[in-house]
Amino acid sequence: MRLIDVKAFLEFHAGKARRNAQLLVEFNGPDLANAAYAILSHCWGQPKDEVQYTEMESLTKTDVAVRREIRKRSGYQKILKSCLQARDDRLDWLWVDTCCIDKRSSAELSEAINSMYVWYANSDRCYAYLHDMGANTLPTKPDNNKFAKFNGWPKWFSRGWTLQELIAPEDVHFFNRNWEFVTRKRKCARTLKVITRISVDALEKGLSWSYPSVAQIMSWAADRRTTREEDRAYSLLGLFGVYMPLLYGEGKNAFLRLQLEVIRMTNDQSIFAWGWTRNAGMAHSFLANDPSHFRDCSSVIRMSPSDFMVALEKSSSRKLRELASAEERFQTFTVTNHGIEIWLPLKHESCSGDSEFFSAILACCDARAQSGPVTIIIEQFRSNRSRYFGRPSVAETQMIPIEFKPILLPYRDNINLNIRGPSSKQSRFRVLVEDIIPSDSVVLYVQSADPSRDIFIPFIDSVLGNTGSGRSNVVHQ
């Protein structure tokens, strides 16, 4: 970890620094553990306005004209104000992401991103700089006149990286655009909950004490944005305590990899609860495509095995209870190259043509509703399983028992045989023909970029061309 020497930087700013003064100092191991440092949390400006690592490293050696140009930048002023505040707080060191990471080194960048949550958590004080807020108090309701582009709140609350920068440090101090102190995190936890949907317990006591579910943490990131698409996932690594290599260029696959890593670390079934309140559409993956899909999960909490079984008792059979007593079956799910192997309580709901619908009961619930475990619908169409949103037509009136069974949940779109890169242009619809038999009616599955618009369309014989020819007028895009 590379830290700014607060005293050396302020001496440089005052024109008292030696030409060979070292503004950045490397810390490792025990030295880092003993270093008392402040850390800055802010929204980046344009690259030309920030002070980069190479400039900071050579700042004392540059000529007067270059120094004068750098001092005019807003990024330099953020470093200066943070150093002044650190000095007042009797902290000798400061970390600022713009200038303390050599981003030319992919290895160093990867190490920094994987370590960043810990760096913020270990800081003695975090300075959260709200550059677009002039008030001396945090807003308590959205203001779409001042912050129209950021859901009505200061921009800092809309960025992906600042989520962990709010949660990880024990002591966060907020400053407005004039660098005037506004408040501390612990004193305004209820206001922060209104702005961020993060629980008061998580804000006041941290994740290790509040123990939020996977779905809850994802929901906190639902409305946040990052410049790079991959950072939607990478900015959440520390919140889940997982590590993975950075592969810029992989697009949305980064969020898929994150979820698979989370599954390897925890058996929290709330990871499958995304979109549980939606009432239309379908998806071929049982893992979400983006954190925004967890927007309705802010109150979804995980259930212990014993609590889960109590909630199932009224509708469960003896067979269910016997199988569920095998703790390793209930608490373990495995990622394979064909899908996620998991044991779930399943109830057959209905049939529609070649499709069967099952309710799958997850070991999580809505803490506000107190209405029992969250249920998702699985549609099985021949050999393919999909996530179905909404309620299928109800099965016959007889009581259908719940069975605790193993099932394979796909986490990739196995129906779509077209292989496309993460950044390639997607067609509006992809049309797939299932087992076309000449002279028979067929069903086409039409898949759109938005899972809620996926539909089945019956086609009559005429789309197949001349009877028996095996030709089709439908173009497979």
Side-chain angles (χ1 to χ4, degrees):
M1 186 181 189
R2 197 177 286 112
L3 295 173
I4 299 171
D5 185 328
V6 170
K7 182 179 178 180
F9 184 87
L10 292 177
E11 287 177 348
F12 162 79
H13 179 73
K16 300 177 181 179
R18 299 183 307 275
R19 185 170 178 79
N20 61 348
Q22 191 175 5
L23 302 185
L24 294 174
V25 180
E26 191 84 30
F27 284 81
N28 292 292
D31 292 336
L32 180 58
N34 295 325
Y37 63 92
I39 198 164
L40 176 65
S41 176
H42 65 115
C43 298
W44 281 38
Q46 295 297 320
K48 63 182 177 60
D49 295 327
E50 302 293 346
V51 179
Q52 307 293 332
Y53 164 74
T54 53
E55 295 172 313
M56 191 70 168
E57 186 183 39
S58 60
L59 200 55
T60 61
K61 303 173 185 177
T62 56
D63 59 47
V64 175
V66 174
R67 293 185 192 183
R68 188 180 299 116
E69 183 276 328
I70 291 176
R71 289 188 183 200
K72 294 178 182 178
R73 299 182 193 175
S74 58
Y76 180 90
Q77 293 301 314
K78 285 187 284 189
I79 297 171
L80 173 61
K81 296 295 186 180
S82 297
C83 282
L84 290 170
Q85 189 62 48
R87 183 191 63 185
D88 293 344
D89 293 336
R90 298 183 179 180
L91 297 172
D92 296 328
W93 305 98
L94 171 70
W95 189 84
V96 180
D97 53 2
T98 51
C99 63
C100 290
I101 305 171
D102 185 356
K103 302 173 189 67
R104 299 170 302 177
S105 168
S106 58
E108 181 171 330
L109 179 61
S110 180
E111 178 186 3
I113 289 179
N114 277 280
S115 305
M116 206 169 291
Y117 184 90
V118 174
W119 291 351
Y120 274 89
N122 289 341
S123 66
D124 290 81
R125 186 156 293 171
C126 175
Y127 306 138
Y129 176 53
L130 310 183
H131 72 281
D132 55 352
M133 190 187 83
N136 291 320
T137 58
L138 291 179
T140 56
K141 58 183 180 180
D143 187 335
N144 290 315
N145 292 322
K146 291 182 179 179
F147 312 112
K149 295 181 180 179
F150 312 113
N151 300 318
W153 306 106
K155 182 180 179 181
W156 189 88
F157 293 104
S158 73
R159 306 307 296 165
W161 289 105
T162 55
L163 175 59
Q164 66 173 359
E165 295 164 15
L166 172 61
I167 294 174
E170 183 177 344
D171 193 12
V172 179
H173 286 204
F174 291 92
F175 295 85
N176 65 16
R177 65 174 170 231
N178 300 316
W179 277 96
E180 297 168 334
F181 175 73
V182 175
T183 187
R184 300 173 63 176
K185 177 173 73 169
R186 287 188 173 182
K187 287 189 175 181
C188 63
R190 296 193 180 279
T191 298
L192 290 172
K193 181 182 178 182
V194 172
I195 299 173
T196 65
R197 298 195 302 270
I198 302 172
S199 68
V200 171
D201 282 346
L203 290 167
E204 292 183 338
K205 302 172 183 177
L207 299 186
S208 59
W209 191 93
S210 58
Y211 203 51
S213 69
V214 169
Q216 282 179 301
I217 296 175
M218 293 291 193
S219 75
W220 301 340
D223 295 320
R224 292 175 178 260
R225 295 293 176 264
T226 57
T227 302
R228 299 290 297 269
E229 184 177 35
E230 295 85 354
D231 286 337
R232 297 275 281 153
Y234 300 158
S235 61
L236 299 175
L237 291 175
L239 291 166
F240 292 110
V242 301
Y243 302 89
M244 64 187 211
L246 310 185
L247 302 172
Y248 284 103
E250 66 175 328
K252 290 186 179 297
N253 194 61
F255 190 62
L256 172 62
R257 286 202 297 131
L258 171 67
Q259 292 172 92
L260 294 177
E261 288 299 322
V262 170
I263 285 173
R264 294 184 179 99
M265 295 285 290
T266 178
N267 56 13
D268 185 346
Q269 293 182 6
S270 72
I271 197 170
F272 303 111
W274 56 275
W276 70 284
T277 62
R278 282 173 54 178
N279 56 19
M282 62 186 303
H284 297 301
S285 171
F286 283 80
L287 296 182
N289 197 38
D290 187 83
S292 61
H293 294 181
F294 286 89
R295 186 174 288 108
D296 58 355
C297 292
S298 61
S299 60
V300 172
I301 60 175
R302 64 187 301 176
M303 302 176 71
S304 68
S306 57
D307 289 343
F308 186 46
M309 293 313 301
V310 168
L312 291 173
E313 264 187 355
K314 291 183 179 180
S315 54
S316 64
S317 64
R318 183 177 180 181
K319 180 181 179 183
L320 170 66
R321 290 194 293 272
E322 290 173 352
L323 287 174
S325 65
E327 187 172 336
E328 67 277 6
R329 284 178 172 171
F330 175 79
Q331 298 199 31
T332 302
F333 35 103
T334 306
V335 176
T336 73
N337 61 355
H338 193 55
I340 301 166
E341 295 178 345
I342 185 172
W343 283 74
L344 289 174
L346 298 175
K347 180 180 179 181
H348 188 271
E349 293 285 354
S350 63
C351 295
S352 177
D354 290 331
S355 292
E356 291 185 275
F357 295 89
F358 299 87
S359 295
I361 306 171
L362 304 178
C364 57
C365 64
D366 183 356
R368 293 178 301 190
Q370 298 180 344
S371 56
V374 169
T375 298
I376 63 173
I377 303 299
I378 298 173
E379 178 182 5
Q380 183 160 321
F381 180 71
R382 300 188 181 177
S383 62
N384 297 308
R385 293 189 183 94
S386 302
R387 174 83 185 273
Y388 183 88
F389 299 99
R391 303 299 305 180
S393 55
V394 180
E396 293 77 11
T397 56
Q398 69 265 26
M399 187 70 173
I400 299 178
I402 297 173
E403 294 187 276
F404 195 70
K405 299 173 66 174
I407 191 169
L408 194 68
L409 304 179
Y411 56 85
R412 292 186 182 276
D413 182 358
N414 293 325
I415 294 180
N416 178 26
L417 301 180
N418 290 331
I419 299 175
R420 297 175 182 267
S423 299
S424 62
K425 184 176 181 181
Q426 299 287 336
S427 60
R428 185 174 181 183
F429 290 107
R430 296 188 295 278
V431 182
L432 303 164
V433 182
E434 290 285 343
D435 298 334
I436 295 180
I437 302 174
S439 76
D440 283 351
S441 297
V442 298
V443 174
L444 294 186
Y445 179 72
V446 181
Q447 182 188 30
S448 77
D450 179 358
S452 66
R453 299 176 62 200
D454 294 356
I455 52 175
F456 287 95
I457 301 178
F459 276 70
I460 57 176
D461 299 342
S462 59
V463 304
L464 297 173
N466 296 330
T467 301
S469 68
R471 294 191 296 271
S472 172
N473 296 325
V474 179
V475 179
H476 186 170
Q477 299 182 16

